[in-house]
Amino acid sequence: MSKKSRPEKSRVKGLVDTGRTLAPVLARTAMTTLEDLASRVVPGNGSTATAADVTVPAPEGISGYARQVEAARAISAPPTAILDVVLDTTRTHEWLTFHLSWRGERAEQLTTGGEFVQQMTLMDIPVQVRWIVEKADETGFELRGAGPMGITVGLWCTVVPTADGSAVRLDGALDGPPVRGPVGISAVRSVEAALTESLDALTGLVDGGGGPGRYADESVRHERTGEMLDPSTPVLIGVGQIVRRDPDPDTATEPAVMSVEALQAAAADTGAQGPLLSRADLVYAVPSASWTYPDQAGFVAEAVGAEFAETVQTSPYGGDGAQLAVNDAAQRIADRAAHLALVSGAEAGATVAALQSRGREPRWTTQDPDRGPDRVIGVDRPANNEAETSVGLGAPIYVYSLIESALQADSGETAEAHQQHIGDLWSRHSGIAAQNPFAWDPTARTAEDIAYASATNRTVSAPYTKLLCANLQVDLAAGVIVASVAAAQALGVPQDKWVFLHAGASGTDEWFVSERADLTRSPAIAAAGAAAFEHAGITADDLGPVDLYSCFPSAVQLGARALGLPWQDPSRPLSVTGGLTSAGGPGNNYGLHAVSTLVPLLREDPDQVGLSTSLGWYATKHSLGIYSGTPPSRPFAHLKPAIERPAPRPARTELDGPAVIEAVTVPHGRDGGAEGVVVSAITPDGARVLLRRESADDIAALTSGTPLRRTLRLDGHRVVVEGERQELPDPPTAPVLTRRDGSVWVITLNRPHAKNAIDHATAVQLERAVDDAEDDSGVRAIVLTGSGDTFCAGMDLAGAHRGQVPVTDRRGPLGLTAEPPTTPTVAAVEGPALAGGFELAMCADLIIAAENASFSLPEVKRGLLAAAGGLWRSATRLPRPVALELALLGDALPATRLAELGMVNTVVPEGRALETAMETARRIAANAPLSVRVGKQIVDEAPTWSPEEAFGRQSEMASPVVLSDDAREGVAAFAEKREPRWTGR
């Protein structure tokens, strides 16, 4: 649910006084419902009856209000039990769903003649109501109040005894000029819904039913620092881990049950008394790889008694899932959509391996395959492209060992020196695991024992031995409990147990490894780390305990390099658990073990700041979190920064001519023999060629001496390595360029040799550039432009003829036209915008065109149609004769004419379109983001509204904006003659 700080009446009045045209919108807002923000409150399990089964007389005085609604319920508890709750103002937040907080002094009990001020929600907007208690006795209460915009409010609770317990009736009433208008009906309907939900919550309290808890929306004092914390501040309150090093296959616990046990350990860790897990309103599961559950989160929720909670799972495969789930839970709590979240995951890989070695399979829970969680988060795509699969790069060990070889080449070290360094790193990790009571293999080992092959440590894929690989055959579980500080305080969790989430971030690199510009860099980790550091107000030098995802040494090096951390410094540990080799690699869930180990360290030294990173597939998808025992200086945010990505490389499997060797790995069989060699080499045009060679001569040629960064060529069927060390050729020029300018994301079509025509690769890159901007809440406007003297010539017909049709899975034709951005977009058009180029320009909200710009839909001259939105959008934006001129003649219209007709916003001198578009985008970005977003939404949707519904729909959409935090800030900034500080709330 979305609760916001209360509006100051004087500021709202000032807004009305200075902008009378907003009065209808404000009126619509003010009389809109006492709507429950806590939609997660679920009826209790006690015996209840609907309003149709209950007869309670209407209260006196309600008929004097213009609008009245009621809700009634039979409850099996006696009247005294109900009155103990409803007359106790310290418990109002537990049942009255539109209550946010109290303002000023108030008595702990409602008494006749009392007065108090309450902050409550009207259409998800906090407003202040001044109440007088007209009656409070053994029959219930009667409240009369005054709200904003001249609205008067009444609230009654009537309790009468019945043979089976009690009957309870809640009445709400509204009056005032706005309420008597035509939209008053919809307002009271939502009030009725809020009253019903309040009765649901009340029933759960007095009948002992289940369901999530409700907590006071009041600031919480942090005792150690003296800071007053927003009640929605997310905090980790409990962590639990389970390790079963020698499971009995006949009695071993299945993964989902281990998850429950880990959460029970986490609940005990909180130090809270009484039930806790059953009060969760969010239950997350990191899917098990050792046993598949269609709805693992649902299994866990039912097992802990949180059957009313929303259930969430991360994508089926990916080690980023655990940290992603924690980030998502923290954001839901920060957004006031939840108060208590459970996150868990488990693996029983050792048990499964033991059973399979005996020719048996586990007999564990089998769920209905059609069952599923309420929500799935994370990215789920095939991990490999055809080029990678064809050479055997279908498992992490082979990909990460190839990346390791590239890292060695990039460092300039000899193979022997680099092998010693990664052995040292893993030796330090094993020493940490030896001190970790939850480590799967708490054995300290030397670098030599780890890095070099032996009878007990075979080479798996050179340069990696078995002890340099993640160990997946483990029985491990971890659980984490995330709460709002309001819930943590109410549940009695001691504050020395609290660890705050300061920031989270996530992102993806070029999905297929073979298409990455540089195997030794992770732009996504760098961008996520920079965003999280900036939000938390720290640098890498400020970090205390750190856990970098450590499935293989190359993963640690990628993370360290991207985040500015040294990986060869013994004084700077990069793991708190001991890593996935020694502590264990429990499928997707290692990250939760890292967090569970990090939390106690930060409790011991709360001034420290900790970092945990997770990644999935081949360092493909990433998530990280920043933690501390000290409260954050800014509200938590799960950041998804737009990434300035380098150009991808084409991936090939045929070598025609010379190439520079980038990396080499040698897969080995269990007998210790080499099975072949996989080589990655870069051609002069920047493409990456993957080859697999299996002859002994080729293996020797590619592994003897120093082959890395030397020239590779084929002499017939024989591999030749020759020449001196050299730099890798650059990737081909990117067909789409991106850059960030403050809050503006600039996307440039970059195929000037083809007049920026869109082929499939360009469409894919354009879609991703837009997706990146849409995911980043800090991007407030997009500018779309083209390089060279043409904005865009539409679809690349030659490419389409070769089968490279520019249609993407999500945004459709040209990578954009089926789903244009929701972020305000400005097109900067220089030169012709032909066919699909015109269609792309029409996907923008504003068009800035140079004097030499022209626009046309010439498809009719090629036997085609402008079916990517050109005909439809031109017909809705231009007079019919002009739209037909474009459709039937296919001739170009100059920018000046389209400006006269309103399609082009501004015509500027040649060469000034981008500059002017950037100025326009910056002006958009400087405005209140909520106002911009909803204003654009209204303009986009208004043409579909009938005259009868238009004003009401507009008012409904505008109301949250006009009473938002940003509205109050805008008025205050104007009065104080300063620049506003927008929050988007």
Side-chain angles (χ1 to χ4, degrees):
M1 59 184 167
S2 175
K3 303 175 186 172
K4 308 175 183 69
S5 58
R6 67 182 176 90
E8 298 179 21
K9 293 174 68 176
S10 62
R11 290 182 180 176
V12 174
K13 182 177 183 299
L15 181 60
V16 176
D17 290 342
T18 58
R20 291 294 180 184
T21 57
L22 293 178
V25 175
L26 286 168
R28 170 72 178 94
T29 298
M31 55 92 197
T32 303
T33 85
L34 300 173
E35 180 181 352
D36 177 28
L37 292 176
S39 59
R40 63 188 186 283
V41 174
V42 181
N45 291 332
S47 173
T48 64
T50 64
D53 304 318
V54 178
T55 302
V56 180
E60 295 182 3
I62 192 171
S63 61
Y65 288 81
R67 305 284 187 184
Q68 312 117 36
V69 288
E70 65 174 278
R73 178 72 54 82
I75 302 177
S76 59
T80 53
I82 296 169
L83 292 167
D84 284 346
V85 174
V86 300
L87 297 179
D88 185 348
T89 62
T90 68
R91 302 191 68 183
T92 301
H93 64 274
E94 296 182 43
W95 70 277
L96 192 61
T97 62
F98 52 70
H99 171 82
L100 292 182
S101 60
W102 304 109
R103 288 294 178 257
E105 299 295 326
R106 59 104 175 53
E108 293 188 358
Q109 290 285 319
L110 293 179
T111 56
T112 302
E115 297 185 18
F116 58 89
V117 178
Q118 183 183 35
Q119 188 178 12
M120 60 171 55
T121 56
L122 289 172
M123 196 180 171
D124 287 4
I125 304 298
V127 296
Q128 190 166 281
V129 175
R130 187 173 297 277
W131 293 105
I132 297 175
V133 184
E134 298 288 347
K135 183 185 74 170
D137 57 21
E138 68 279 1
T139 65
F141 63 73
E142 174 186 349
L143 307 179
R144 305 282 186 118
M149 296 296 296
I151 300 295
T152 57
V153 189
L155 180 65
W156 292 259
C157 176
T158 306
V159 184
V160 299
T162 66
D164 298 321
S166 305
V168 182
R169 171 170 168 157
L170 295 179
D171 287 86
L174 299 169
D175 208 339
V179 175
R180 301 187 183 197
V183 292
I185 295 175
S186 60
V188 294
R189 282 178 181 168
S190 56
V191 172
E192 185 176 28
L195 295 180
T196 299
E197 290 165 350
S198 294
L199 280 179
D200 290 343
L202 181 61
T203 302
L205 285 173
V206 298
D207 273 0
R214 298 186 58 83
Y215 306 95
D217 193 68
E218 298 176 353
S219 296
V220 175
R221 186 176 189 274
H222 188 247
E223 301 298 337
R224 184 173 65 84
T225 63
E227 293 185 38
M228 296 303 295
L229 304 177
D230 185 288
S232 65
T233 301
V235 61
L236 273 67
I237 60 173
V239 295
Q241 297 186 73
I242 304 293
V243 56
R244 302 244 164 82
R245 296 189 184 93
D246 297 303
D248 181 347
D250 295 321
T251 61
T253 306
E254 65 177 287
V257 175
M258 291 179 66
S259 292
V260 173
E261 293 175 355
L263 286 171
Q264 291 168 339
D269 177 63
T270 67
Q273 302 299 313
L276 188 150
L277 300 180
S278 62
R279 303 193 70 179
D281 36 25
L282 281 172
V283 175
Y284 290 78
V286 180
S288 168
S290 51
W291 189 254
T292 301
Y293 302 86
D295 186 12
Q296 185 173 327
F299 180 109
V300 173
E302 293 169 3
V304 302
E307 60 267 25
F308 298 128
E310 177 189 355
T311 55
V312 188
Q313 282 183 200
T314 58
S315 57
Y317 302 103
D320 62 313
Q323 182 63 56
L324 183 68
V326 173
N327 288 350
D328 190 82
Q331 190 64 65
R332 294 293 301 279
I333 289 169
D335 291 341
R336 290 175 159 82
H339 276 290
L340 190 63
L342 314 179
V343 187
S344 67
E347 292 293 349
T351 296
V352 172
L355 286 169
Q356 290 177 340
S357 70
R358 302 178 187 185
R360 295 161 54 192
E361 295 292 334
R363 296 182 177 179
W364 292 333
T365 299
T366 301
Q367 293 179 312
D368 184 338
D370 294 330
R371 181 174 169 177
D374 296 322
R375 191 160 55 97
V376 176
I377 58 174
V379 183
D380 185 23
R381 293 177 57 189
N384 297 94
N385 61 18
E386 185 177 351
E388 295 159 12
T389 303
S390 69
V391 298
L393 294 178
I397 172 58
Y398 306 120
V399 176
Y400 282 100
S401 60
L402 191 72
I403 294 173
E404 189 68 65
S405 176
L407 286 162
Q408 181 226 315
D410 187 69
S411 71
E413 294 181 320
T414 64
E416 176 63 26
H418 192 75
Q419 194 74 4
Q420 183 65 42
H421 284 145
I422 62 176
D424 288 339
L425 174 66
W426 244 230
S427 175
R428 296 194 296 272
H429 275 41
S430 73
I432 293 168
Q435 305 301 315
N436 177 5
F438 299 105
W440 179 258
D441 181 9
T443 305
R445 294 183 171 88
T446 66
E448 287 70 23
D449 288 338
I450 293 170
Y452 299 100
S454 67
T456 58
N457 184 34
R458 67 181 180 88
T459 298
V460 182
S461 190
Y464 286 160
T465 63
K466 182 178 180 180
L467 288 175
L468 288 169
C469 300
N471 181 7
L472 302 181
Q473 292 187 9
V474 298
D475 281 22
L476 294 171
V480 169
I481 302 174
V482 190
S484 66
V485 295
Q489 189 83 338
L491 293 168
V493 180
Q495 289 195 3
D496 59 8
K497 294 282 190 178
W498 296 7
V499 171
F500 297 89
L501 291 98
H502 284 219
S506 57
T508 61
D509 276 309
E510 189 72 46
W511 191 263
F512 298 120
V513 174
S514 60
E515 297 175 9
R516 292 179 192 167
D518 187 341
L519 296 183
T520 70
R521 300 290 191 277
S522 171
I525 299 179
F533 287 167
E534 190 277 332
H535 188 86
I538 64 169
T539 68
D541 293 337
D542 298 316
L543 291 171
V546 168
D547 195 276
L548 301 186
Y549 198 87
S550 49
C551 49
F552 301 91
S554 56
V556 176
Q557 293 166 70
L558 288 173
R561 173 174 281 187
L563 297 169
L565 295 167
W567 69 275
Q568 296 183 22
D569 183 356
S571 68
R572 166 72 274 182
L574 297 180
S575 179
V576 296
T577 67
L580 279 80
T581 300
S582 296
N588 300 321
N589 197 49
Y590 170 80
L592 216 54
H593 289 271
V595 172
S596 297
T597 307
L598 187 65
V599 164
L601 300 176
L602 297 174
R603 287 171 175 168
E604 292 174 8
D605 189 351
D607 289 325
Q608 288 201 97
V609 179
L611 168 71
S612 179
T613 73
S614 291
L615 58 80
W617 282 123
Y618 313 125
T620 305
K621 44 185 182 174
H622 308 275
S623 190
L624 58 82
I626 295 176
Y627 303 82
S628 179
T630 298
S633 58
R634 297 172 65 181
F636 173 84
H638 180 194
L639 308 163
K640 300 173 183 178
I643 301 167
E644 297 186 19
R645 304 176 187 275
R649 293 185 186 273
R652 303 171 185 165
T653 55
E654 300 291 336
L655 181 61
D656 181 14
V660 180
I661 299 175
E662 178 186 31
V664 173
T665 186
V666 184
H668 283 60
R670 289 187 174 274
D671 61 0
E675 296 180 331
V677 59
V678 178
V679 58
S680 171
I682 308 301
T683 63
D685 64 357
R688 178 177 283 112
V689 175
L690 298 177
L691 298 176
R692 183 182 181 94
R693 312 292 291 188
E694 296 182 351
S695 74
D697 289 345
D698 286 350
I699 293 173
L702 288 165
T703 57
S704 301
T706 55
L708 298 177
R709 296 295 178 93
R710 296 173 64 197
T711 296
L712 169 70
R713 63 179 178 84
L714 296 180
D715 182 4
H717 296 290
R718 185 173 63 92
V719 164
V720 176
V721 178
E722 60 191 12
E724 301 298 320
R725 177 183 171 90
Q726 58 195 292
E727 295 300 314
L728 297 175
D730 291 332
T733 301
V736 175
L737 304 177
T738 60
R739 65 181 175 89
R740 186 163 187 159
D741 185 316
S743 297
V744 178
W745 186 243
V746 185
I747 302 174
T748 303
L749 304 176
N750 189 42
R751 301 186 74 216
H753 61 283
K755 298 187 181 298
N756 296 324
I758 309 294
D759 60 6
H760 183 262
T762 306
V764 169
Q765 295 296 310
L766 178 57
E767 178 181 72
R768 187 170 66 176
V770 173
D771 287 348
D772 281 352
E774 298 270 78
D775 287 341
D776 189 338
S777 60
V779 172
R780 304 281 178 80
I782 298 170
V783 170
L784 176 64
T785 191
S787 60
D789 58 6
T790 300
F791 174 74
C792 175
M795 179 172 65
D796 187 328
L797 295 178
H801 182 68
R802 295 192 300 270
Q804 299 175 6
V805 180
V807 177
T808 57
D809 292 338
R810 177 182 175 185
R811 298 188 184 272
L814 309 177
L816 187 64
T817 61
E819 188 179 332
T822 59
T823 304
T825 302
V826 184
V829 180
E830 296 270 357
L834 304 173
F838 190 9
E839 291 174 308
L840 287 177
M842 284 191 284
C843 287
D845 301 296
L846 306 176
I847 299 176
I848 308 298
E851 292 172 342
N852 69 337
S854 61
F855 302 83
S856 63
L857 298 175
E859 286 88 345
V860 68
K861 299 182 179 183
R862 298 289 182 268
L864 303 171
L865 280 176
L871 293 173
W872 159 53
R873 290 191 171 100
S874 62
T876 61
R877 301 181 189 184
L878 291 170
R880 183 173 183 274
V882 180
L884 285 172
E885 181 180 346
L886 287 165
L888 303 182
L889 299 180
D891 294 337
L893 296 180
T896 51
R897 186 175 181 203
L898 290 185
E900 294 168 355
L901 295 168
M903 176 173 278
V904 170
N905 295 83
T906 306
V907 178
V908 298
E910 185 176 344
R912 293 284 307 279
L914 179 58
E915 176 186 346
T916 306
M918 290 297 297
E919 293 172 357
T920 303
R922 293 187 191 104
R923 290 170 60 194
I924 294 171
N927 290 328
L930 187 60
S931 299
V932 168
R933 178 172 62 80
V934 176
K936 179 178 183 294
Q937 186 180 1
I938 290 173
V939 171
D940 287 342
E941 295 185 12
T944 67
W945 297 340
S946 68
E948 293 76 18
E949 68 177 338
F951 191 81
R953 292 288 300 277
Q954 172 187 269
S955 299
E956 182 179 353
M957 294 171 67
S959 296
V961 178
V962 178
L963 288 184
S964 66
D965 289 353
D966 279 353
R968 295 194 300 277
E969 167 63 15
V971 174
F974 177 82
E976 297 165 11
K977 296 180 172 56
R978 60 172 174 81
E979 291 298 316
R981 296 181 288 271
W982 309 123
T983 63
R985 298 193 298 270

